Amino acid sequence: MELKRVVVTGLGAITPLGNTIDTFWDNLVKGVSGAAPITRFDATHFKTKFACEVKDYNPADYFDRKEVRKMDLFAQYAMVAAEQAVRDAGIDPQTIDQDMAGVIWGAGIGGIITFLDETRSFVKNNEVPRFNPFFIPKMISDIAAGHISMKYGLRGPNYGTVSACASASHAIASAFDLIRLGKANIFITGGSEAAINEAGVGGFNAMQAISTRNDDPATASRPFDKDRDGFVMGEGAGALVLEEYEHAVKRGATIYCEMVGAGMTADAYHLTAPHPDGLGAQKVMENALKDGNLKPEDVDYINVHGTSTPLGDIAEPLAIQKVFGDHAYKLNISSTKSMTGHLLGAAGAVEAIASILALKNSIVPPTINLFEVDPQIDAKLNLTPNKAQERNIKVAMSNTFGFGGHNACVVFKALN
Amino acid sequence: MSDIASRVKAIIVDKLGVDETEVTNEASFTNDLGADSLDTVELIMEFEKEFNIAIPDDQAENIGTVGDAIAYIEKNAK
């Protein structure tokens, strides 16, 4: 059976760098950091007191009061980004075959804010079980996909993907495959996360996974820098409209680019540490290239996972060199997490969007805060340090790796 | 309007996001005010909290309108 072609026709984002695609991209190219002291709760007693929060977000700008009460923040972000993407794609849900349009949405954690609030109220009320009836439907991580489908009446395939920080990439990869197989014409896909609360920050602090550079939050996310000390928590959502090529052409859609490949692998090694040789990362890039019928030399830009953790930032460049050989030195490599922070389950979506916009605008967003490259990383790699670089990009790929050893890679290509 | 009635109506306006003028004694939570089954459960819980009473499930099933709620609470509130 011949696989169908898949194109990107809509984008939406709410991020620590801006609440629209345009502001997000502008700040990404300018090299702005989204990090600042935490405002969501009193972080006085936490080891980490800063994060990359979404700013100037008022739910009343997007939802009526009744809707808001039924949605955890991660689902609200999902709805905001999805709405932007649907509009950007110029889709009128009434005029498409709604049985052939679906939603696959990633969230690594789900409604942790709701979970903590309800647990607190349970303890406060002497453990008398009086849970809110919306507790479960607010918390479960699949619910964002459900909300989006209900808003637009999309009755095609609908589910959530959960693979920690690779969740959104798995969502995009799954939507891509289902369109290729002819099981749907359109997907709204991507991911969202909203875990900047006491449980989220405290939990990641306990793992010693996040930066504690409290005296200088803006330089805390410093992928590949020798003084990096962990990732910076981010939040928000990214949404993509993926569409079968002929379907998009027929309705006269504006096409950003083609999606040509996806890879998925596991490290099968450790709960949280990456394979030291970057084995899973290597395989996932190889799989994605093969899937896209591409040679390593075809790739121009890799938006890396690059979280600013000690181990991960060593393993990933090693994996890139194994896959790309000498071509690795010709690649532009950048970690936009240096600016956005780590959006966890939304990272794959926001970074796929960064890759697509890099391709569209011929600009590679930088890795900021790269003061001195870790000597364990090959200095000849172009990590796009500190300043955006102009480059004509034909093929861009985006890596994400999740706790649990889940790896996913998605590949976009300029439309011929 | 009694104190209980105004407090009941305030909760309904808040939880269901409806206009005060829609919250008449005859209004049905599900048919007129757009509540689904989970909204109704949440309303009952809010009434219990506000008036410090326990509404057993078999009684809660009979509270379908604004007037039903006010009448029940007027009878049972301490």
Side-chain angles (χ1 to χ4, degrees):
Chain A
M1 140 182 206
E2 198 179 329
L3 294 174
K4 294 180 188 298
R5 292 174 71 185
V6 180
V7 291
V8 179
T9 56
L11 300 177
I14 175 164
T15 75
L17 297 183
N19 299 349
T20 63
I21 284 288
D22 289 345
T23 53
F24 165 65
W25 177 248
D26 283 350
N27 285 324
L28 215 56
V29 171
K30 280 184 203 149
V32 173
S33 165
I38 288 171
T39 64
R40 297 293 166 72
F41 64 94
D42 178 2
T44 309
H45 301 297
F46 285 70
K47 277 196 272 185
T48 297
K49 306 177 206 307
F50 62 94
C52 288
E53 294 178 343
V54 166
K55 287 134 194 111
D56 305 319
Y57 173 69
N58 178 9
D61 294 343
Y62 303 95
F63 306 101
D64 70 38
R65 206 174 56 217
K66 188 181 168 193
E67 274 180 309
V68 151
R69 283 196 309 107
K70 298 179 181 183
M71 277 189 250
D72 185 274
L73 190 57
F74 93 96
Q76 294 177 31
Y77 287 162
M79 293 288 273
V80 170
E83 171 70 16
Q84 290 176 18
V86 168
R87 278 195 197 175
D88 186 38
I91 294 170
D92 174 0
Q94 305 306 319
T95 64
I96 58 170
D97 181 353
Q98 289 165 305
D99 291 312
M100 286 293 283
V103 184
I104 304 179
W105 197 262
I109 296 176
I112 193 171
I113 296 174
T114 298
F115 190 90
L116 181 62
D117 287 349
E118 285 290 321
T119 308
R120 271 185 175 141
S121 133
F122 173 62
V123 172
K124 196 173 129 207
N125 294 310
N126 303 315
E127 303 196 9
V128 177
R130 288 173 55 83
F131 290 94
N132 187 285
F134 295 105
F135 170 28
I136 302 292
K138 276 174 80 175
M139 179 200 67
I140 50 181
S141 63
D142 59 284
I143 206 72
H147 279 297
I148 295 168
S149 74
M150 283 176 254
K151 174 152 184 190
Y152 303 105
L154 309 182
R155 294 183 297 265
N158 188 293
Y159 54 88
T161 51
V162 182
S163 51
C165 308
S167 299
S169 302
H170 277 109
I172 295 166
S174 303
F176 168 62
D177 279 341
L178 291 185
I179 295 175
R180 286 203 289 184
L181 292 169
K183 299 199 174 185
N185 299 323
I186 291 183
F187 272 101
I188 300 173
T189 184
S192 59
E193 205 78 82
I196 301 177
N197 72 342
E198 294 89 328
V201 175
F204 282 118
N205 261 158
M207 294 173 71
Q208 301 188 320
I210 54 178
S211 169
T212 55
R213 196 179 296 276
N214 294 308
D215 58 347
D216 193 7
T219 70
S221 185
R222 47 172 79 193
F224 311 119
D225 187 83
K226 76 172 180 30
D227 292 326
R228 67 194 181 280
D229 73 330
F231 73 81
V232 176
M233 281 182 74
E235 60 167 358
L240 293 80
V241 173
L242 294 187
E243 190 164 349
E244 192 271 316
Y245 172 68
E246 298 291 345
H247 189 275
V249 169
K250 231 176 259 171
R251 70 177 186 89
T254 305
I255 295 171
Y256 281 91
C257 62
E258 184 166 4
M259 179 165 175
V260 291
M264 306 184 226
T265 65
D267 275 11
Y269 172 72
H270 185 269
L271 278 184
T272 55
H275 191 286
D277 301 326
L279 186 63
Q282 177 193 336
K283 292 288 171 203
V284 84
M285 286 185 272
E286 286 171 359
N287 287 354
L289 289 174
K290 191 176 162 205
D291 192 43
N293 203 17
L294 295 166
K295 298 187 294 293
E297 298 75 47
D298 295 328
V299 178
D300 299 290
Y301 170 49
I302 306 180
N303 185 302
V304 290
H305 189 56
T307 56
S308 183
T309 53
L311 296 176
D313 287 11
I314 299 295
E316 190 176 10
L318 277 178
I320 289 173
Q321 292 192 277
K322 281 183 187 151
V323 176
F324 291 91
D326 280 349
H327 184 69
Y329 301 124
K330 294 183 186 149
L331 292 166
N332 265 97
I333 295 167
S334 77
S335 170
T336 44
K337 286 189 181 81
S338 58
M339 297 172 274
T340 61
H342 190 351
L343 274 74
L344 309 174
V350 167
E351 289 160 24
I353 292 168
S355 307
I356 291 162
L357 292 175
L359 194 152
K360 179 187 168 226
N361 296 315
S362 301
I363 300 175
V364 179
T367 307
I368 67 163
N369 298 325
L370 201 44
F371 302 100
E372 189 178 342
V373 177
D374 188 319
Q376 296 175 81
I377 298 168
D378 189 332
K380 294 202 292 289
L381 293 173
N382 179 2
L383 302 171
T384 323
N386 303 315
K387 273 208 171 96
Q389 294 178 11
E390 286 184 20
R391 177 165 184 160
N392 183 21
I393 300 171
K394 289 224 167 51
V395 175
M397 64 197 286
S398 166
N399 285 340
T400 54
F401 315 132
F403 285 160
H406 325 286
N407 310 303
C409 176
V410 294
V411 187
F412 302 95
K413 187 174 176 227
L415 194 67
N416 287 331
Chain B
M1 193 162 35
S2 74
D3 170 55
I4 285 177
S6 63
R7 283 157 70 195
V8 165
K9 289 183 179 179
I11 288 171
I12 294 166
V13 166
D14 178 49
K15 292 294 169 191
L16 299 184
V18 289
D19 196 84
E20 210 178 316
T21 55
E22 296 174 73
V23 188
T24 60
N25 281 4
E26 298 73 36
S28 152
F29 298 134
T30 50
N31 298 331
D32 302 317
L33 301 177
D36 62 22
S37 60
L38 295 181
D39 291 318
T40 312
V41 174
E42 194 185 31
L43 273 183
I44 297 290
M45 288 177 64
E46 285 300 316
F47 296 149
E48 291 180 325
K49 201 162 95 186
E50 173 75 14
F51 298 100
N52 194 25
I53 55 175
I55 307 176
D57 287 352
D58 59 341
Q59 303 284 314
E61 279 166 22
N62 299 323
I63 300 175
T65 66
V66 178
D68 291 343
I70 294 169
Y72 182 89
I73 293 162
E74 282 179 338
K75 201 167 141 198
N76 293 283
K78 287 147 202 155

